[in-house]
Amino acid sequence: MSGAGPYEEGDGHFEEGGRHFEKGGGREERGGGGDGKSGSEERGDSGRSTRIPMPRASVEDSGLPLPTPEVPEPDKTPASTQLAEPTDPSARPEPKDRTVLEHHVLKSLLGAWALAACSAEETTAVEEHLGGCGDCAEEALRLRDAVGLLHRPESLDLDPGLRARVLASCLQRRPPRFPVPDWAAPYDAETARLDSLLQDIGDSEWDVPVRLRWFDGEDTASRRTTVAGVIAHLTSVDGLVAVALGLDDPLGDAADGPGGGARPTPEARTEAYWRSAHLPRAGSVRVPWRDQAHALVRTVSVAGGAGGTDGAAGGAGGTDTGGSEASPDAAPAVSYGDFELPLRDALLDRAFECWVHAEDIAEAVDYPYEPPAPRHLRGMIDLAARMLPGMLAVRRRAGLASPARTRHLVAAGRPGRSLRLEIEGLAGGEWLIPLDSPGAVGSAEHEVAHVALDGVEFCRLAAGHIAPREAAVGQVGDREAIRDVLYAAASLSRM
């Protein structure tokens, strides 16, 4: 085969496009076609021999330049139009490997979809189907509403009243040999709740910073410590009750040093304990605090419930005390340095402070913590309300409250100007607070103002965690009297 290309001449024959032609004869032979006979044989021409066509030459072998491939014209459609998805869901191309589920299959998946139990592919298929099937959409809505009724979101934390219910059930089956008095139950419950919190935190969290807050008479004050330091503070102040009951003082020799003395204040005892503890750790403070709390509850239980008389130092001004009946047995008063409280009020005070500082710890370690049970919270509110007249007198002597409207103090036991304190919530109630004398009796006839606030809000105000000007209070009447009572409530707090 010469380099003349696909056409070959010289013997009267030539090839073109896989066909064989013979000059002059008009005959055409197809290579490899028919039944294998040449055109001359089909015509009966036996005078010439059959020519077998040669293989067609390749372009690469011919030396000719390769043809230029056709390049498609660029798409002039804007990129934003190219990337935009079709608005019609039916116009979207289905993935090649995606399985199209039938209607009855999708309908059977509605229950699992309502429970969020479908796979990602099933969820996508069901939700796309709901957009075009009204019957299934209505059924899915009914199922989703039913799931909301069957499963309500609840906290994973235990119910605060669970311990009380379990104990009550146990005590019904076997009464205790020495039952805990009702007035000591708040302290028993709050120490148990705090001990449960301390059991859940890790070793490293005992060194988490905690800021103790209180109201110093004119403005808020604070002191930075740690979780271990808070428990040491509770141990030292609970020691005042322990000493009054004849138990060992947790401060030991430190009680005779600076901050000690015949009538030490809670702040002085705490500072002395912190100095002697030298950065107390978990094992060195939790166990002594818990053992002391158990000893206090056990001691008052064995003593037969003698808790002293109702009424706090400074005079009882509330019309609703909410406390237990007075015990005829005389109980020792607990000294706080500059004032004293009967034993039952002292344990209420300790329960209140235990709850407040437990919230401080819970906030520092990001732990959920609920307020006390309503019956216990009511006792704490009642104690604070009964202490308000005495605190008003203290602030008036210090020039921090408005003077009394009368020239002389109202005689003890006589009615005088009063403010109605209304506490809302499950632990709510009403108290008439005498304004002009700690020994006066609250009187509805002499009411000059009325304030209302939530029970937990009032307790946080009395703990110094809320400034008086920031408290959510509903008020009507004498603005000056209202201000004095709110500031007196905040001044009940201490470190």
Side-chain angles (χ1 to χ4, degrees):
M1 184 179 295
S2 68
Y7 302 97
E8 185 175 334
E9 301 182 6
D11 58 355
H13 299 79
F14 65 93
E15 293 180 4
E16 180 181 7
R19 299 178 180 181
H20 182 78
F21 297 90
E22 182 175 343
K23 292 184 179 179
R27 290 183 299 126
E28 176 183 7
E29 295 181 1
R30 301 179 182 272
D35 57 357
K37 298 180 179 181
S38 65
S40 61
E41 290 178 332
E42 292 176 357
R43 296 173 179 270
D45 185 4
S46 57
R48 293 184 62 87
S49 61
T50 304
R51 178 168 177 84
I52 300 174
M54 298 297 293
R56 184 177 181 183
S58 173
V59 179
E60 288 85 349
D61 297 335
S62 65
L64 298 176
L66 295 176
T68 304
E70 296 183 1
V71 179
E73 296 182 2
D75 189 0
K76 299 181 180 180
T77 306
S80 59
T81 306
Q82 297 178 18
L83 298 178
E85 296 184 359
T87 56
D88 186 4
S90 61
R92 297 178 182 176
E94 294 287 340
K96 294 182 179 180
D97 57 346
R98 180 174 176 179
T99 302
V100 179
L101 301 179
E102 297 181 2
H103 178 272
H104 71 278
V105 177
L106 293 169
K107 187 174 182 179
S108 67
L109 290 174
L110 293 180
W113 173 83
L115 293 170
C118 289
S119 65
E121 294 78 7
E122 293 172 339
T123 300
T124 301
V126 170
E127 291 177 352
E128 289 182 356
H129 176 69
L130 294 180
C133 182
D135 294 339
C136 288
E138 293 179 1
E139 180 67 15
L141 183 61
R142 287 193 295 269
L143 291 174
R144 180 61 63 88
D145 292 340
V147 170
L149 295 175
L150 294 174
H151 178 71
R152 294 183 178 275
E154 297 179 356
S155 174
L156 297 179
D157 299 311
L158 295 177
D159 182 2
L162 177 61
R163 178 178 181 271
R165 292 196 298 270
V166 172
L167 289 177
S169 177
C170 295
L171 295 177
Q172 287 177 357
R173 299 184 179 184
R174 190 182 68 176
R177 184 178 179 184
F178 300 108
V180 177
D182 291 341
W183 50 268
Y187 178 76
D188 184 33
E190 292 308 310
T191 53
R193 291 208 304 148
L194 175 55
D195 187 54
S196 177
L197 185 157
L198 298 177
Q199 187 176 4
D200 287 347
I201 66 176
D203 293 340
S204 62
E205 292 177 310
W206 283 88
D207 295 325
V208 171
V210 180
R211 186 165 295 278
L212 303 179
R213 295 165 290 170
W214 68 96
F215 192 78
D216 63 359
E218 297 183 10
D219 203 354
T220 55
S222 64
R223 173 70 183 274
R224 187 176 182 274
T225 182
T226 63
V227 173
V230 174
I231 302 303
H233 166 61
L234 291 174
T235 303
S236 63
V237 184
D238 285 356
L240 294 172
V241 183
V243 172
L245 291 174
L247 302 177
D248 293 337
D249 191 340
L251 267 66
D253 296 337
D256 300 329
R263 301 173 67 88
T265 63
E267 294 81 0
R269 286 177 58 87
T270 298
E271 295 289 352
Y273 193 51
W274 281 345
R275 287 193 299 268
S276 64
H278 300 293
L279 299 178
R281 302 286 298 181
S284 64
V285 292
R286 180 192 171 196
V287 174
W289 167 79
R290 183 181 58 191
D291 291 346
Q292 179 178 252
H294 290 171
L296 292 177
V297 175
R298 183 170 56 250
T299 300
V300 298
S301 300
V302 173
T309 58
D310 288 332
T319 60
D320 183 357
T321 60
S324 303
E325 295 181 0
S327 171
D329 301 326
V334 179
S335 172
Y336 283 76
D338 49 358
F339 66 95
E340 292 183 348
L341 288 177
L343 178 60
R344 64 174 58 201
D345 285 347
L347 279 183
L348 266 178
D349 171 78
R350 303 313 310 138
F352 176 76
E353 187 169 356
C354 183
W355 163 47
V356 169
H357 290 322
E359 280 197 337
D360 293 335
I361 295 174
E363 181 181 354
V365 300
D366 195 18
Y367 189 98
Y369 208 78
E370 297 293 331
R375 64 183 183 279
H376 297 162
L377 187 62
R378 180 179 175 83
M380 301 173 190
I381 295 172
D382 175 71
L383 174 62
R386 290 187 281 113
M387 295 179 69
L388 281 176
M391 182 54 66
L392 274 171
V394 172
R395 288 181 56 84
R396 188 173 289 120
R397 287 195 295 268
L400 299 177
S402 59
R405 296 294 179 85
T406 59
R407 180 175 298 180
H408 303 287
L409 292 178
V410 178
R414 302 286 297 177
R417 285 191 321 132
S418 304
L419 176 142
R420 184 179 295 275
L421 173 63
E422 179 182 353
I423 301 299
E424 301 172 344
L426 297 177
E430 292 187 356
W431 288 260
L432 289 171
I433 311 299
L435 300 174
D436 294 330
S437 174
V441 176
S443 172
E445 297 179 357
H446 298 79
E447 181 180 329
V448 298
H450 185 177
V451 298
L453 66 166
D454 179 72
V456 176
E457 184 87 354
F458 175 76
C459 287
R460 288 174 177 158
L461 173 65
H465 284 199
I466 300 177
R469 58 183 175 273
E470 298 174 357
V473 180
Q475 50 187 287
V476 62
D478 191 334
R479 299 291 181 179
E480 194 174 64
I482 293 173
R483 179 188 178 279
D484 289 344
V485 169
L486 293 179
Y487 273 78
S491 298
L492 293 174
S493 62
R494 58 181 180 275
M495 184 179 71

